[in-house]
Structure formats: structure tokens, C-alpha cells
Amino acid sequence: MDALLLARIQFGFTISFHIIFPALTIGLASYLVVLEALWLRTGRPVYLTLYQFWLKPFAVAFAMGVVSGIVMAYQFGTNWSGFSRFAGSITGPLLAYEVLTAFFLEAGFLGVMLFGLKRVGPGLHFLSTCVVALGTLISATWILASNSWMQTPQGHEIIDGRVVPVDWLAVIFNPSFPYRLSHMVVAAYLATALMVGGTAAWHLLKGRDAPAVRTMLSMAMWMLLASAPLQALLGDLHGLNTLRHQPAKLAAMEGHWEPTPPGSGVPLILFGWPDMQAETTHYKIEIPRLGSLILTHSWDGQIPALKSFPPEDRPNSTIVFWTFRIMVGLGLLMIALALWGAWLRRGARLYRARAFLRCAAAMSPAGLAAILAGWYTTEIGRQPWVVYGLQRTADAVSPHDAGEVGFTLALFVLVYLAVFGAGTAYGLRLLAAGPQQAGGDPGPGGAGEPRQPMRPFSAADEEAPHGN
């Protein structure tokens, strides 16, 4: 392995850890807004119970997302100095805007959200929850603007071998930005709905049938029913955009090597094994013309074949072919689970059907797995370009030798598995504990008791005599 491949693996490894935490914070923050709004509107304690329960996993995910994101930012300078020199005038400001408008906003209100429920008025606390949720969406907007510009760059000029922005609106609202942003946000909501629903299903399977658990499962299945079909529609629009702006990526995703004769249509390859050396897809199982119908919305539409591009400009079809199908396959399972849940609502069987509950619990991490598969498809499918059509990945890497990059990669693996493994285990323990009824007896005070006094004599009885 050379330094380029090791640097790509290192960045892929760190982003694989990072991306799941912002996805959960985006979804959980919006979910917490809904829960608190319902509590304030209806006064039902079940919504407060769920709010307090999911607030802790949200805080854990938020903390791990911040830590893993900082590490990724440093890699632009350490491993990708060529990219920073070439495109830093665009990616640098976009990442700075994310910090100034989103991170500071979240950090300013996060403390009130986490610790202020009994210290500030309900209106101010709800405002804090809304602002934190808005901050997660603003953060996603800037990050996706930067990444989308790397996929479909516009609004720039190249002067003295460097990218110079000339139209910031064109830079931010580049051709793929709306599709990537909407696709990612809905993916975050899907991942959160599956996590919430899977947690509720697990508790029901354990015999913990409580109103909060039932409400949690019901809300998750409604969200899944609304967002899973919407994600399929957004994915279709995203695919049309990819065909227009990144045809080599689409050809690699489909394992499509040979041009088809005019009028015959492109088949859809369901399964197969693309071979980059032999320039063919082995063991194909395909449906005639269905590729044209899905990819171009016409019966005999054409898409470019991989052989239409020079070998050095082709993405690795072996990888993106399968990552794309994993993402789509999981998406279809999500739609099926949502429809199954809607059908079980007839007769109130949603909370008693053990086969459904087992599937819901097993599907709990499916949203995060689909996000990772989609991200691999997007990023590996862009290769060999780091900025599509402008700078190759080989020209973006820092001049390190393979030993240096390999050593830091090994350290990253060890540290990440320890730190984020412990954080994930703690988060799973929180989910396994289950929601506790809000507003219950906090327990006795005093040294060693649940309500430890915060200042001298704070636990003393106010009616106690002052003598002696």
C-alpha cells in the first residue's frame, strides 16, 4: 500500500465513525423538539418522560460527533495539503461558516437544553431545544455545501493553479447541493426513527410494556412511514442529477460496461460482480430495459458505459456497485417495515406482534448502515477526483511516505475503538435502561443519597429549631 491509499483509508475510517454521530444528533434534536412541543401543548407526562430519556443519548452522540469532527478537520492539513492549497479558499470559509453559525449556536443553547428544564421557564427551554435542532440543520447545510461543491464544482475560477471563488451563491448552491442536503437530512431522520423504534421494540420483547414505550414505537413507525417513501423519491432525483453531472459514477454504480444499441434500452443489473481488470460484470442477473426506465424515466433511454471513459477516470465499480445496492436494499426493507407497522395498527397489534418487534429491533442500526453505504458510494464513486474534473486525488495528498501514514492509521484505529467504543457502549446502556416516569419521587436527600446537597446545610429541615 502506498501513502495515497493509506491516506484515503485513514480519512474513510475517521469519517465512518464521525458521520453516524451527526446523523443521530440531527434526527434526535428534531425528535426532542417534537416531544417537548407535544408535552407543552397537551401536558401529558409521557412526552416529558420520553424527552428526558432521549436527551441523554443525544448528549452522548453530540459529544462524540464534536470530537470526531475536530480530528477530521486536522487531516486536511496533515494528509491532504495539496487539496488545501488548491481548494482551501472555498472549503476553508465554508467550514468556518459552519463553526460560526452552527457550532456556536448549538454550544450557546446546549447547556440550557441539557440542564435548564427546572431552572428556566418552559418557553425559554423549548426555544433552546429548537435552536439546538436548528443548529444541527445549519451545520449539515454548510458541510453538504462544501462536499457538494467538490462533487459538482461551480462559481469559481482557477488562477495560478488555485481555485478562487467568484460567485459564492453558485459555490454554495451548486447543482448537486439540494439533492445531497435533502437526501442526508431525511437519512438522518430515518436512522433516528429506526433507532427509536428498535429501542421500543426491544423493551416490548423484554416484557416492559409501558405507555412511554408504546408511544415511542408508535411515533417511530409514523416517522418511518412518512420518510422512507420520501427518501426513495429523493434518491431517484439524486440519481438523475448524478447521471447529468457525474455519469462515470452512475455507470460504476450500475456495473454498466458496454454501450447498448439505440432503441434497445439499458437493462438493470440486480446482482453481479464488476471486474475492473476484465472490464465486465460477471454472473449478471438483469432485467431488460428496467435500467432505462429507472435511470432515465424512459423506455429506451441510454446511460454512458464505463468503457466510454479512459481507465484512469473510472471509479472502482466493484465497490460502489455493492455499496449502492446495500443502501437501496436497506431502504426497501425500511419501506416494508413501515408498511407492516401500518397494517398492524389495525386491531392494535402493533405492540404485540413479536415477529414484527423482532424485525424492528434487528433493523435498529439499518439507518446508520445505509448512511455509511451511501456515503461510500458518493465518495468512492467520485474517484479518481477529489474535486470532480479539477483535481485528482493523487495530486491532493501530502508528501508523506507509507510508513508514516500507516503508523498514524494504526494509532487512529486503536484510539477510536477505545474512545468511541466506550462511548457507544455507554449510549447502548442508556437505551437499555429504558424511559423512567418523569416527575417521580427523586429520592431522599443527604450524603450518599440520590439528592446530594449542593451547599452546606442545604439538606437541613427548614422547620428545624435554631437552638443548639
Side-chain angles (χ1 to χ4, degrees):
M1 292 187 179
D2 58 11
L4 172 60
L5 181 57
L6 288 170
R8 290 179 59 194
I9 293 174
Q10 185 177 117
F11 196 83
F13 175 80
T14 53
I15 200 172
S16 296
F17 272 84
H18 172 69
I19 194 173
I20 61 177
F21 300 122
L24 286 176
T25 57
I26 291 171
L28 283 177
S30 297
Y31 182 47
L32 290 171
V33 169
V34 172
L35 289 173
E36 189 166 11
L38 289 172
W39 173 57
L40 293 174
R41 180 179 178 85
T42 66
R44 294 180 57 191
V46 65
Y47 295 121
L48 178 59
T49 298
L50 290 177
Y51 181 91
Q52 294 175 332
F53 172 63
W54 283 104
L55 188 61
K56 293 180 181 179
F58 166 79
V60 173
F62 186 91
M64 291 196 290
V66 170
V67 173
S68 58
I70 292 174
V71 174
M72 284 182 53
Y74 279 108
Q75 289 190 56
F76 287 115
T78 58
N79 288 5
W80 303 102
S81 57
F83 168 74
S84 298
R85 283 192 298 268
F86 177 74
S89 60
I90 286 182
T91 58
L94 291 177
L95 296 179
Y97 298 156
E98 188 263 342
V99 173
L100 292 173
T101 62
F103 183 73
F104 286 172
L105 190 67
E106 295 166 339
F109 287 87
L110 183 64
V112 179
M113 177 184 176
L114 294 178
F115 308 110
L117 186 60
K118 297 181 180 180
R119 293 174 172 85
V120 299
L124 178 57
H125 189 271
F126 179 61
L127 175 64
S128 300
T129 305
C130 293
V131 170
V132 171
L134 177 63
T136 63
L137 295 174
I138 295 175
S139 178
T141 299
W142 289 118
I143 296 299
L144 267 296
S146 177
N147 180 263
S148 298
W149 180 84
M150 295 166 64
Q151 302 278 349
T152 52
Q154 290 199 2
H156 65 275
E157 292 181 359
I158 298 180
I159 301 176
D160 296 331
R162 298 189 181 188
V163 172
V164 176
V166 296
D167 185 347
W168 275 109
L169 288 179
V171 168
I172 296 170
F173 298 100
N174 58 80
S176 65
F177 168 73
Y179 306 99
R180 295 181 191 281
L181 177 63
S182 56
H183 198 58
M184 183 62 200
V185 171
V186 174
Y189 289 156
L190 272 173
T192 302
L194 288 166
M195 184 70 68
V196 173
T199 302
W202 186 83
H203 283 287
L204 288 171
L205 288 170
K206 293 294 183 179
R208 301 165 187 168
D209 191 348
V213 176
R214 288 193 170 208
T215 302
M216 190 160 53
L217 179 63
S218 178
M219 294 179 71
M221 289 301 108
W222 282 125
M223 186 63 191
L224 192 65
L225 185 63
S227 57
L230 175 62
Q231 185 72 318
L233 175 62
L234 293 173
D236 177 66
L237 297 175
H238 194 358
L240 294 175
N241 180 266
T242 303
L243 173 62
R244 180 178 179 182
H245 296 281
Q246 295 177 302
K249 177 190 291 189
L250 188 69
M253 289 161 52
E254 297 301 323
H256 181 58
W257 288 92
E258 302 288 347
T260 53
S264 61
V266 178
L268 178 67
I269 301 177
L270 297 177
F271 301 103
W273 190 262
D275 188 331
M276 296 299 294
Q277 300 298 324
E279 298 185 336
T280 188
T281 299
H282 303 293
Y283 320 116
K284 292 187 294 186
I285 300 177
E286 57 185 20
I287 301 177
R289 292 187 179 270
L290 188 57
S292 292
L293 188 61
I294 294 177
L295 300 172
T296 68
H297 292 184
S298 65
W299 188 245
D300 55 358
Q302 299 292 311
I303 67 171
L306 273 174
K307 287 187 177 180
S308 304
F309 304 93
E312 64 272 16
D313 291 345
R314 298 171 187 168
N316 192 318
S317 180
T318 309
I319 298 177
V320 299
F321 179 88
W322 280 106
T323 55
F324 177 70
R325 274 151 184 77
I326 291 173
M327 178 186 67
V328 173
L330 290 173
L332 293 175
L333 289 177
M334 294 173 201
I335 294 175
L337 183 67
L339 294 175
W340 190 4
W343 180 68
L344 287 175
R345 288 183 186 275
R346 301 176 60 185
R349 294 172 294 167
L350 181 66
Y351 314 106
R352 302 193 307 268
R354 297 188 68 82
F356 169 78
L357 295 176
R358 291 191 186 97
C359 289
M363 286 283 289
S364 183
L368 299 177
I371 288 174
L372 287 174
W375 197 258
Y376 294 153
T377 302
T378 295
E379 300 306 304
I380 298 175
R382 186 185 60 210
Q383 301 300 319
W385 305 97
V386 65
V387 181
Y388 197 79
L390 299 181
Q391 186 187 39
R392 292 182 178 272
T393 308
D395 299 325
V397 70
S398 299
H400 300 309
D401 61 44
E404 293 172 331
V405 183
F407 176 72
T408 56
L409 173 59
L411 289 180
F412 270 116
V413 172
L414 293 175
V415 173
Y416 269 53
L417 290 180
V419 174
F420 295 109
T424 302
Y426 177 67
L428 292 175
R429 285 181 59 188
L430 293 175
L431 298 183
Q436 305 297 321
Q437 183 65 36
D441 183 9
E449 299 295 342
R451 290 191 298 124
Q452 174 72 30
M454 299 180 64
R455 61 188 185 277
F457 307 115
S458 63
D461 189 348
E462 294 182 358
E463 301 297 326
H466 294 284
N468 298 332

